[in-house]
Amino acid sequence: EEPVLLAELKPGRPQRYDWKSSCETWSVAFSPDGAWFAWSQGHCVVKLIPWPLGEAELGCKTSERKSRSGKVETWSRGAAKEKTLECGQIVWGLAFSAWPAAEDGDTDPACAVGLPCLVLATGLNDGQIKVWEVQTGHLLFSLLGHQDVVRDLSFAPNGSPILVSASRDKTLRVWDLSRDGRQVQVLSGHVQWVYCCSISPDCSMLCSAAGEKSALLWSMRSYTLIRRLEGHQSSVVSCDFSPDSALLVTASYDACVIMWDPYTGEQLRTLRHVPLHSMLDSSSEIHTSSLRSVCFSPEGLYLATVADDRLLRIWALEFRSPVAFAPMTNGLCCMYFPHGGFIATGTRDGHVQFWTAPRVLSSLKHLCRKALRTFLTTYQVLALPIPRKLKEFLTYRTF
């Protein structure tokens, strides 16, 4: 079942050719509950779009969204209204998180009703991180510390107000939004720009990818380096954990995705991106070996990758070849809808595209494995008094 393009949204503003990287969609994000979609469409703005898209948008291949002069653009779609966040700088990274419920006596107007508030962090060209309250569009924090572009952002998936940022200044920084956005740690170890950071769903590990052949794995408890993951032949640019934290994938310019056991550092599988020449323009000079982005599906059985060979690929864990392709041009990032069924991709033209994704009913075996691996490390599984084949299945040595 090949991915089908459902909609393509384009910026309404003309491209600013005098601004380097001003029009690219370097980052897209769905909120954890799937109610909002954030699009860094270029031009220093972020669009916050209620999900699902309206029937008019899903029914046509392209739909332009033109901004007015005001900071917030809205129209009624139930209770949610679309917003435009004016960030003042080119936006590179996006991340959603549910804000903790307000304490008794808390006077913060953003969460005065005592309900969790949804926040969006934006990583900017000048090194700032701006954190917004989604429902109102109000700016909550401006986090200062990075000396260069904030390329990626990752919130702790357990709902805690811990934010990790990755920057071209070669550092990662840890922020605590419950303490007025205080910077609590600076992680140094990379010698090149940091492109990507990902916190494991169990919140025990952090992976970071820079313009280097190795990815770094950090402890989220002690903020110390656990190990270097070495195996790629070129720059690692993207990484993601499986939903049960048992697997880690890294994507590189060497045209490979490597699947790791983050607990042991073992390479479990390598997925090689072989060019499909029939899909390419023979006159093109595209560097086909450049992978841009990799992400896990919500149930953990599929991967999506975007590369410079004009293809969106879908991979199943048990196969070494893609199970589906879709032609796309100038892809930069990809993200699964948190409840499955859709993939959003961002392009170098500032567009965002929405694709169908394979829907799967997880087997009972996989559901049991996922439930166990959510709280058991690889070493704990190997210590269990169970048959060897069962250990191999639970540690993803057999798929």
Side-chain angles (χ1 to χ4, degrees), residues 151-226:
R151 184 63 183 82
D152 196 23
L153 297 162
S154 182
F155 273 104
N158 62 359
S160 71
I162 297 298
L163 173 67
V164 176
S165 55
S167 171
R168 284 186 179 179
D169 66 11
K170 306 174 186 177
T171 69
L172 299 112
R173 294 171 191 254
V174 184
W175 314 83
D176 187 346
L177 300 191
S178 68
R179 301 165 70 180
D180 295 323
R182 178 181 175 183
Q183 180 178 289
V184 297
Q185 194 74 31
V186 178
L187 305 181
S188 301
H190 286 291
V191 296
Q192 300 291 338
W193 293 351
V194 190
Y195 289 114
C196 182
C197 60
S198 179
I199 301 176
S200 62
D202 65 4
C203 296
S204 67
M205 296 172 286
L206 167 71
C207 183
S208 57
E212 305 157 11
K213 295 180 181 179
S214 59
L216 301 188
L217 195 65
W218 310 82
S219 167
M220 281 296 290
R221 297 187 176 97
S222 62
Y223 298 123
T224 56
L225 182 65
I226 299 173

Side-chain angles (χ1 to χ4, degrees), residues 5-9 28 37 39 61 327-329 331 335 343-347 351-355:
L5 182 62
L6 295 176
E8 181 174 11
L9 308 182
V28 294
F37 176 76
W39 167 28
K61 291 293 184 180
M328 65 172 297
T329 303
M335 177 67 65
I343 298 173
T345 57
T347 76
H351 302 184
V352 62
Q353 300 165 327
F354 299 98
W355 306 83

Side-chain angles (χ1 to χ4, degrees), residues 55 79-80 85 124 129 133 141 186 197 200 214 243 258 271 278 292 305 311 315 330 370 375:
E55 292 182 6
L85 305 179
L124 306 182
I129 302 166
E133 205 281 306
F141 301 107
V186 178
C197 60
S200 62
S214 59
I258 296 180
L271 308 177
S278 61
R292 293 292 172 180
T305 59
L311 288 174
W315 308 75
N330 296 330
K370 186 177 174 182
F375 65 90

Side-chain angles (χ1 to χ4, degrees), residues 251-269:
S252 167
Y253 286 162
D254 64 9
C256 291
V257 169
I258 296 180
M259 194 179 300
W260 310 81
D261 184 320
Y263 296 102
T264 66
E266 180 183 349
Q267 294 184 36
L268 301 181
R269 180 160 293 186

Side-chain angles (χ1 to χ4, degrees), residues 13-286:
R13 301 182 184 185
Q15 181 176 342
R16 288 280 301 271
Y17 290 101
D18 57 323
W19 285 4
K20 184 179 179 182
S21 303
S22 67
C23 67
E24 288 98 339
T25 297
W26 283 103
S27 183
V28 294
F30 287 102
S31 62
D33 62 0
W36 289 91
F37 176 76
W39 167 28
S40 65
Q41 65 167 35
H43 314 291
C44 307
V45 301
V46 172
K47 285 295 183 70
L48 280 169
I49 303 170
W51 190 271
L53 298 180
E55 292 182 6
E57 288 134 325
L58 286 175
C60 63
K61 291 293 184 180
T62 61
S63 174
E64 294 191 0
R65 294 186 175 269
K66 298 183 179 180
S67 300
R68 305 177 207 159
S69 58
K71 287 189 176 181
V72 178
E73 175 189 0
T74 65
W75 70 78
S76 176
R77 183 184 296 159
K81 297 179 179 180
E82 180 179 327
K83 300 173 179 66
T84 299
L85 305 179
E86 299 280 356
C87 297
Q89 290 281 327
I90 298 167
V91 180
W92 291 79
L94 296 171
F96 279 103
S97 181
W99 190 262
E103 302 288 341
D104 289 340
D106 191 345
T107 58
D108 183 351
C111 298
V113 295
L115 298 174
C117 295
L118 189 65
V119 299
L120 176 72
T122 56
L124 306 182
N125 197 66
D126 63 354
Q128 280 194 82
I129 302 166
K130 291 187 176 182
V131 183
W132 311 79
E133 205 281 306
V134 172
Q135 294 295 335
T136 63
H138 291 158
L139 179 64
L140 298 177
F141 301 107
S142 290
L143 309 181
L144 304 176
H146 281 297
Q147 305 302 309
D148 207 333
V149 172
V150 177
R151 184 63 183 82
D152 196 23
L153 297 162
S154 182
F155 273 104
N158 62 359
S160 71
I162 297 298
L163 173 67
V164 176
S165 55
S167 171
R168 284 186 179 179
D169 66 11
K170 306 174 186 177
T171 69
L172 299 112
R173 294 171 191 254
V174 184
W175 314 83
D176 187 346
L177 300 191
S178 68
R179 301 165 70 180
D180 295 323
R182 178 181 175 183
Q183 180 178 289
V184 297
Q185 194 74 31
V186 178
L187 305 181
S188 301
H190 286 291
V191 296
Q192 300 291 338
W193 293 351
V194 190
Y195 289 114
C196 182
C197 60
S198 179
I199 301 176
S200 62
D202 65 4
C203 296
S204 67
M205 296 172 286
L206 167 71
C207 183
S208 57
E212 305 157 11
K213 295 180 181 179
S214 59
L216 301 188
L217 195 65
W218 310 82
S219 167
M220 281 296 290
R221 297 187 176 97
S222 62
Y223 298 123
T224 56
L225 182 65
I226 299 173
R227 65 170 54 87
R228 291 180 178 270
L229 300 173
E230 298 180 342
H232 284 290
Q233 303 304 309
S234 188
S235 300
V236 184
V237 294
S238 183
C239 57
D240 195 25
F241 284 93
S242 62
D244 58 6
S245 303
L247 297 173
L248 170 68
V249 288
T250 54
S252 167
Y253 286 162
D254 64 9
C256 291
V257 169
I258 296 180
M259 194 179 300
W260 310 81
D261 184 320
Y263 296 102
T264 66
E266 180 183 349
Q267 294 184 36
L268 301 181
R269 180 160 293 186
T270 298
L271 308 177
R272 303 185 186 279
H273 286 61
V274 179
L276 297 184
H277 297 289
S278 61
M279 301 291 290
L280 301 177
D281 180 355
S282 59
S283 65
S284 172
E285 296 181 357
I286 287 179

